[in-house]
């Protein structure tokens, strides 16, 4: 399977419109095998700046292909890049008031703590 990925693998990019498959050169496939050596799926945010630029160049070039090859067999996937826009946080979440410190727990624990007078007598 490693040789198949090296010589015929494609990159799957998950977009809001659905998955896209990118045809790569041999050097690009080797580099992607290195990037995806430990994980099959990576979000764009975990990549280095150089790797992000590399992925951006791949996504801009018109190299999108079908997953099925000419002989009807599915091309092996080198890895999957999650290129989805960040989820917008509602404005209401930002306006949550800060919590007050709880005094109930400290009052309850204070009853069981030894008084300073008893601590001096035990020493």
């Amino acid at each position: 399977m490693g040789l198949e990925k090296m010589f015929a693998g494609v990159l799957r990019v998950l977009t809001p419109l659905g998955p896209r498959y990118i045809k790569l050169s041999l050097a690009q496939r080797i580099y992607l095998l290195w990037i995806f050596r430990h994980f099959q799926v990576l979000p764009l945010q975990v990549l280095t700046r150089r790797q992000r630029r590399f992925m951006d160049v791949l996504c801009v070039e018109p190299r999108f292909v079908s997953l099925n090859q000419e002989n009807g067999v599915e091309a092996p996937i080198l890895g999957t890049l999650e290129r989805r826009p960040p989820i917008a946080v509602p404005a209401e979440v930002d306006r949550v008031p800060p919590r007050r410190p709880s005094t109930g727990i400290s009052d309850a624990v204070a009853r069981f703590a030894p008084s300073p007078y008893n601590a001096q007598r035990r020493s």
Side-chain angles (χ1 to χ4, degrees), residues 1 4 8-10 21 65-77:
M1 186 65 166
E4 289 179 26
V10 295
Y21 302 93
V65 295
S66 173
L67 183 59
N68 295 326
Q69 298 174 342
E70 294 85 25
N71 56 5
V73 179
E74 286 187 356
I77 296 175

XYZ file of all heavy atoms in Angstrom, residues 1 4 8-10 21 65-77:
140
model
N 0.822 -1.194 0.000
C 0.000 0.000 0.000
C 0.868 1.262 0.000
O 0.469 2.276 -0.525
C -0.919 -0.023 1.229
C -1.915 1.089 1.250
S -3.051 0.932 -0.108
C -4.305 2.048 0.364
N 1.738 2.188 -3.556
C 0.558 2.702 -4.250
C 0.314 4.157 -3.869
O 0.012 4.979 -4.732
C -0.678 1.872 -3.905
C -0.689 0.496 -4.510
C -1.931 -0.269 -4.105
O -2.966 0.367 -3.808
O -1.871 -1.504 -4.090
N 0.483 6.867 -6.780
C -0.843 7.206 -7.311
C -1.737 7.878 -6.277
O -2.930 8.031 -6.518
C -1.527 5.949 -7.830
N -1.199 8.267 -5.139
C -2.022 8.834 -4.073
C -2.526 10.229 -4.368
O -1.937 10.974 -5.149
N -3.638 10.565 -3.739
C -4.234 11.892 -3.869
C -4.436 12.467 -2.463
O -4.483 11.733 -1.475
C -5.587 11.865 -4.617
C -5.396 11.425 -6.058
C -6.593 10.974 -3.921
N -10.472 16.190 -4.165
C -9.285 15.356 -4.294
C -8.302 16.046 -5.229
O -8.671 16.504 -6.307
C -9.667 13.972 -4.816
C -10.655 13.296 -3.910
C -12.026 13.398 -4.140
C -10.228 12.603 -2.786
C -12.939 12.811 -3.289
C -11.137 12.003 -1.927
C -12.489 12.118 -2.188
O -13.387 11.539 -1.333
N -9.326 16.268 -9.028
C -9.624 15.078 -9.825
C -10.701 14.263 -9.120
O -11.046 14.514 -7.968
C -8.360 14.208 -10.017
C -7.317 14.927 -10.843
C -7.779 13.766 -8.687
N -11.190 13.265 -9.817
C -12.135 12.333 -9.229
C -11.362 11.298 -8.415
O -10.202 10.993 -8.703
C -12.924 11.643 -10.343
O -13.729 10.624 -9.794
N -12.005 10.741 -7.427
C -11.355 9.723 -6.605
C -11.128 8.442 -7.403
O -10.150 7.732 -7.187
C -12.184 9.438 -5.348
C -11.605 8.458 -4.346
C -10.256 8.947 -3.834
C -12.559 8.246 -3.191
N -12.000 8.174 -8.352
C -11.854 6.978 -9.187
C -10.856 7.227 -10.301
O -10.925 8.237 -10.995
C -13.201 6.562 -9.781
C -14.179 6.123 -8.710
O -13.788 5.537 -7.707
N -15.442 6.416 -8.912
N -9.923 6.301 -10.474
C -8.931 6.409 -11.533
C -9.524 5.929 -12.853
O -10.673 5.505 -12.918
C -7.692 5.590 -11.166
C -7.008 6.085 -9.914
C -5.863 5.178 -9.493
O -5.770 4.032 -9.905
N -4.988 5.702 -8.657
N -8.710 5.984 -13.912
C -9.177 5.595 -15.242
C -9.632 4.133 -15.287
O -10.558 3.775 -15.995
C -8.066 5.798 -16.282
C -7.681 7.242 -16.516
C -6.660 7.738 -15.506
O -5.904 6.919 -14.934
O -6.624 8.951 -15.274
N -8.972 3.273 -14.509
C -9.315 1.853 -14.534
C -10.472 1.506 -13.592
O -10.803 0.342 -13.434
C -8.089 1.004 -14.178
C -7.473 1.382 -12.848
O -8.007 2.209 -12.134
N -6.346 0.781 -12.545
N -11.095 2.495 -12.970
C -12.252 2.262 -12.118
C -11.916 2.008 -10.660
O -12.813 1.858 -9.842
N -10.648 1.944 -10.331
C -10.223 1.703 -8.953
C -10.053 3.046 -8.243
O -9.604 4.015 -8.841
C -8.882 0.915 -8.937
C -8.411 0.682 -7.517
C -9.024 -0.386 -9.689
N -10.424 3.085 -6.963
C -10.250 4.318 -6.207
C -8.777 4.577 -5.937
O -8.027 3.667 -5.607
C -10.992 4.243 -4.872
C -12.483 4.358 -5.002
C -13.169 4.451 -3.645
O -12.485 4.348 -2.606
O -14.383 4.625 -3.649
N -8.379 5.820 -6.076
C -6.993 6.209 -5.805
C -6.747 6.166 -4.292
O -7.623 6.525 -3.513
C -6.724 7.610 -6.336
N -5.574 5.731 -3.870
C -5.281 5.747 -2.430
C -5.162 7.181 -1.924
O -4.649 8.060 -2.609
C -3.952 4.997 -2.317
C -3.357 5.038 -3.681
C -4.479 5.177 -4.656
N -5.642 7.398 -0.718
C -5.630 8.731 -0.128
C -4.412 8.848 0.777
O -4.223 8.059 1.699
C -6.931 8.985 0.653
C -8.105 8.961 -0.319
C -6.867 10.306 1.397
C -9.445 9.068 0.329
